[in-house]
Amino acid sequence: MLKIADSAKDRIRHLCDQFRWDKGIDPIPAIMWLDTDLNGGRFPTGVIIGAYTSAQGGELSGEIRNDNGLEYVLAVADDYLPKFIGKTLSFDGNSYRLD
């Protein structure tokens, strides 16, 4: 399915650490697709990272994936799944990329 490069894994773990620090809650990272047409052009189309809380883990048990030592949920609509299948998620210092 989706592979996660070390660059993306490190960035996602950093974001999770910040979330944990700010909120005092353990997050489960959610990899999502944002479409600029659906957000009024405020943000560019591409991969974004969100989070579920560990309290939601039971509800997500069948959705939690693991790659490269990182547990995450691929929270995308079925229409967007082809963008992720067989791709590698990386982070170039500014944004996430699917290669």
Side-chain angles (χ1 to χ4, degrees), residues 3-22:
K3 298 291 181 193
I4 301 178
D6 286 342
S7 60
K9 178 183 73 170
D10 292 344
R11 178 64 180 164
I12 292 168
R13 284 191 171 150
H14 174 75
L15 292 172
C16 288
D17 289 344
Q18 284 183 311
F19 187 90
R20 194 174 294 108
W21 176 259
D22 291 344

Side-chain angles (χ1 to χ4, degrees), residues 5-80:
D6 286 342
S7 60
K9 178 183 73 170
D10 292 344
R11 178 64 180 164
I12 292 168
R13 284 191 171 150
H14 174 75
L15 292 172
C16 288
D17 289 344
Q18 284 183 311
F19 187 90
R20 194 174 294 108
W21 176 259
D22 291 344
K23 308 289 183 196
I25 299 170
D26 286 328
I28 300 169
I31 299 172
M32 301 180 278
W33 183 259
L34 181 66
D35 192 324
T36 193
D37 292 339
L38 299 177
N39 70 53
R42 292 179 298 186
F43 302 100
T45 295
V47 175
I48 61 170
I49 305 300
Y52 293 100
T53 66
S54 57
Q56 294 170 300
E59 301 167 30
L60 302 168
S61 62
E63 303 295 319
I64 296 174
R65 302 167 187 256
N66 187 319
D67 185 70
N68 203 8
L70 177 72
E71 288 190 336
Y72 68 95
V73 174
L74 183 59
V76 298
D78 290 344
D79 291 347
Y80 295 119

